[in-house]
Amino acid sequence: MQKTITRLTILLLVPILLIGCADPKTLERMGLITTIGYDLTEDGKILTTMVLLQIDPEAPQNFAVLTTKADTTKGARIKADLKSPKKLQSGQLRVALFSDEIVKKGLVTLADTLARDPAISDLTYLAVVEGNVNKMLNMENKKFSDISQLIYKELDQNIKGETIPSATLQEVMHDYYSDGIDPSMPILKVSNGEIQITGMALIKRDKMVGKIGIEDSFYLKLINDRYTAGSIEMSISNEGIKYLQQPEGTDKLVVVLDTIRSNSHINLINKEKLEFDLKIKLNTRLMEINQAVDLKNPANLKQIDKELSKKMEDDLGKFIAKTRELGTDPFGFGEIYRKSVRDSNMTAEKWHEMYPESKVNVKIDLEIVRTGVVE
């Protein structure tokens, strides 16, 4: 019995000892790429900027930036390997950035190269940079020592916080290869020394054709996804609202909604004249309001519901009209058409010709189910 216990103890200890004997210098010998960015140079080449995680106690900072220029991304990678003292690895890539100049010319070659690399996660975030990506990745930030982590966390918390729609490598490539929907990607910009998300890039096939601000980004997610906890600030008319204290010099109410829960339904109601019904239902909480409004009065809340619904219907109508003018369909109306019409033989080119002639009837059903700190 004693011998059996001794053998079992040895068998349990051997793996632990082997793990303990693993070379602690392995990670120090690797150049882990966490962010990669692409710019277009004046001579038509691709400037690739890589941010590497430094796992080296003797390194002056925990990241390093490597820049190479080549005709292709693979050529840039080969040149980067020649310049790097460490073996470059893509397995920790979290963000891929593309200058707006590149995306206006065509994104798919670069994104497809990332998608074909088995070491790169499909969940890598893609984003467009207004201006120069290389300058952004080389900028100093006193509030955050690692520029790569700053950009990743900024995208991650705004996507998970439902401020902007998600745009992972998998989602962007899926939309590109689908015939009835176009991709969209967050836009980053350096402003006053800080990196901020300014909206979403609208893409037709793989070329950027326009952009929208944060408010329209909310509407884009409202149509494409379900909200489970989002928030937004909106300005509405104060028509029919009764105040506790009469405001001075304004005819607008600014309200902040949060804990938004929504679902949307799109139905094709006329395939010959190409007409859709878009119905969205929202339940939300009124978090804050900028005027002294009597929120215990049910008539006031009902009027705010009405004004918010009207505001959203107007904004969505204008937003959809803008995408029709640009000839891009980030909502997926084309997918609804393809699924609803048998033998449609739909292609992306055919849908881009049809979509500008379509009509969308928007109906918002909004209800404030709770009021927040004001009450």
Side-chain angles (χ1 to χ4, degrees):
M1 184 65 182
Q2 183 62 39
K3 287 183 178 178
T4 305
I5 294 173
T6 304
R7 286 173 182 168
L8 285 173
T9 304
I10 293 171
L11 287 172
L12 289 170
L13 285 175
V14 166
I16 297 171
L17 291 171
L18 287 175
I19 293 170
C21 292
D23 185 1
K25 300 291 184 183
T26 300
L27 290 176
E28 294 179 19
R29 289 197 293 267
M30 292 182 181
L32 301 176
I33 305 170
T34 53
T35 298
I36 195 164
Y38 301 104
D39 289 295
L40 200 61
T41 62
E42 291 181 355
D43 55 357
K45 294 183 183 294
I46 298 168
L47 187 72
T48 303
T49 308
M50 302 173 189
V51 181
L52 311 177
L53 178 64
Q54 293 270 68
I55 304 177
D56 186 348
E58 296 180 359
Q61 57 184 16
N62 58 358
F63 74 98
V65 180
L66 201 60
T67 303
T68 57
K69 188 171 79 167
D71 291 306
T72 64
T73 57
K74 290 297 181 188
R77 176 62 180 268
I78 292 169
K79 288 185 176 180
D81 270 322
L82 294 172
K83 292 171 70 174
S84 174
K86 299 180 180 182
K87 179 66 176 173
L88 298 180
Q89 302 286 340
S90 304
Q92 294 300 313
L93 185 67
R94 293 292 177 266
V95 179
L97 302 173
F98 306 85
S99 71
D100 52 352
E101 187 181 14
I102 276 191
V103 185
K104 285 174 183 173
K105 288 183 175 297
L107 170 74
V108 72
T109 304
L110 298 175
D112 197 52
T113 303
L114 296 176
R116 290 177 188 278
D117 187 338
I120 295 176
S121 168
D122 288 341
L123 301 180
T124 300
Y125 289 135
L126 305 191
V128 178
V129 172
E130 270 191 310
N132 191 287
V133 182
N134 181 267
K135 286 183 180 176
M136 175 182 281
L137 294 179
N138 276 289
M139 67 181 281
E140 291 184 5
N141 193 304
K142 295 179 181 177
K143 298 177 184 175
F144 221 98
S145 60
D146 187 339
I147 191 76
S148 182
Q149 280 294 303
L150 170 64
I151 295 171
Y152 170 72
K153 289 184 177 180
E154 194 168 323
L155 288 169
D156 189 58
Q157 71 93 3
N158 278 289
I159 288 170
K160 289 180 177 172
E162 303 186 334
T163 306
I164 57 171
S166 175
T168 62
L169 179 59
Q170 180 187 38
E171 290 163 335
V172 170
M173 295 310 292
H174 171 272
D175 290 351
Y176 170 74
Y177 285 112
S178 298
D179 290 327
I181 186 169
D182 290 299
S184 58
M185 292 161 56
I187 298 176
L188 298 174
K189 184 179 180 180
V190 177
S191 178
N192 297 322
E194 294 184 339
I195 298 172
Q196 66 180 54
I197 299 170
T198 59
M200 299 289 290
L202 298 177
I203 298 169
K204 182 179 180 180
R205 293 296 286 164
D206 71 327
K207 294 181 174 60
M208 180 175 168
V209 292
K211 60 183 180 181
I212 54 175
I214 292 299
E215 191 167 296
D216 280 341
S217 302
F218 166 80
Y219 290 125
L220 180 57
K221 183 172 173 59
L222 197 60
I223 296 176
N224 289 359
D225 271 326
R226 287 187 176 195
Y227 269 98
T228 56
S231 60
I232 190 171
E233 178 187 279
M234 304 191 86
S235 176
I236 59 173
S237 167
N238 66 354
E239 185 178 348
I241 304 292
K242 293 180 180 176
Y243 291 97
L244 292 170
Q245 182 179 345
Q246 193 60 31
E248 294 181 1
T250 178
D251 59 350
K252 294 287 182 184
L253 279 180
V254 179
V255 298
V256 177
L257 305 175
D258 81 341
T259 323
I260 297 170
R261 298 181 184 277
S262 73
N263 59 69
S264 65
H265 295 283
I266 302 173
N267 291 312
L268 177 67
I269 59 172
N270 191 329
K271 65 180 182 181
E272 278 75 29
K273 293 185 178 179
L274 202 53
E275 186 174 353
F276 297 90
D277 271 351
L278 167 61
K279 295 181 180 178
I280 299 175
K281 182 171 177 58
L282 293 96
N283 289 330
T284 184
R285 177 175 71 161
L286 178 60
M287 183 67 180
E288 189 175 342
I289 192 165
N290 72 331
Q291 300 292 350
V293 175
D294 183 7
L295 295 177
K296 293 181 180 178
N297 183 344
N300 262 350
L301 276 180
K302 192 174 180 180
Q303 185 63 22
I304 293 173
D305 285 352
K306 182 181 174 183
E307 291 298 331
L308 281 168
S309 298
K310 182 182 174 186
K311 159 83 172 164
M312 289 186 179
E313 287 173 2
D314 289 346
D315 287 350
L316 265 172
K318 291 174 184 172
F319 179 25
I320 294 169
K322 177 179 179 176
T323 62
R324 279 200 298 257
E325 288 175 10
L326 295 170
T328 177
D329 175 14
F331 314 106
F333 288 112
E335 286 292 287
I336 302 296
Y337 177 84
R338 186 178 60 79
K339 292 174 183 174
S340 305
V341 180
R342 287 186 178 182
D343 303 322
S344 62
N345 297 319
M346 237 252 303
T347 63
E349 290 72 23
K350 185 177 176 182
W351 179 243
H352 285 142
E353 291 177 4
M354 295 168 64
Y355 180 57
E357 305 300 324
S358 65
K359 180 182 179 185
V360 180
N361 308 308
V362 182
K363 179 65 179 175
I364 300 285
D365 180 9
L366 184 146
E367 183 183 4
I368 295 173
V369 293
R370 283 179 293 158
T371 53
V373 292
V374 177
E375 187 175 58

